[in-house]
Amino acid sequence: MPPRAQQAVIAAGGGRHHTHNLLASVLAPVEACGQVAQGAGFSDILNRAAYTLGGLVAASRLSQQEAEDLLLQTAAAARPGQEHRAEQIIRSGMAAGLKRPLYPGSVR
């Protein structure tokens, strides 16, 4: 997880270990897309991460602004210059996730 993202997670959850680990595991595949020029399924991976973070927001585990910031920072690091595309994917995934609260430990 990028240092700024890690700081946001700590600020959002007061250092809640479980939420931090969950966010790190959700954002790791988005970060990994930065290692591959194409063909990594970036859109799908970012959409899944946005959906999951939307569910965490709906469950009051994270604020919507913090979730969006984390996703945007991670996406920008993985795919520089594609911020507009990433914003659209994040907006769509978050909107869907906000309809389904995700409580850590529950199965979706």
Side-chain angles (χ1 to χ4, degrees):
M1 180 179 294
R4 289 184 65 203
Q6 191 171 21
Q7 291 170 352
V9 171
I10 291 168
R16 282 181 264 168
H17 184 69
H18 186 70
T19 301
H20 179 268
N21 287 342
L22 179 60
L23 289 172
S25 68
V26 169
L27 295 174
V30 178
E31 288 177 357
C33 288
Q35 304 301 314
V36 180
Q38 292 181 359
F42 177 72
S43 296
D44 290 337
I45 291 169
L46 181 58
N47 185 57
R48 268 187 242 122
Y51 179 85
T52 302
L53 265 58
L56 291 173
V57 169
S60 299
R61 302 291 292 186
L62 192 64
S63 78
Q64 186 165 348
Q65 185 64 51
E66 290 161 331
E68 289 174 359
D69 289 348
L70 287 169
L71 288 162
L72 287 170
Q73 289 172 11
T74 306
R79 291 287 189 265
Q82 296 186 25
E83 288 80 8
H84 181 70
R85 175 178 166 226
E87 287 173 4
Q88 292 174 328
I89 295 167
I90 291 167
R91 208 172 13 255
S92 173
M94 289 274 301
L98 285 168
K99 296 175 185 173
R100 303 231 12 222
L102 174 63
Y103 299 97
S106 65
V107 178
R108 262 200 194 188

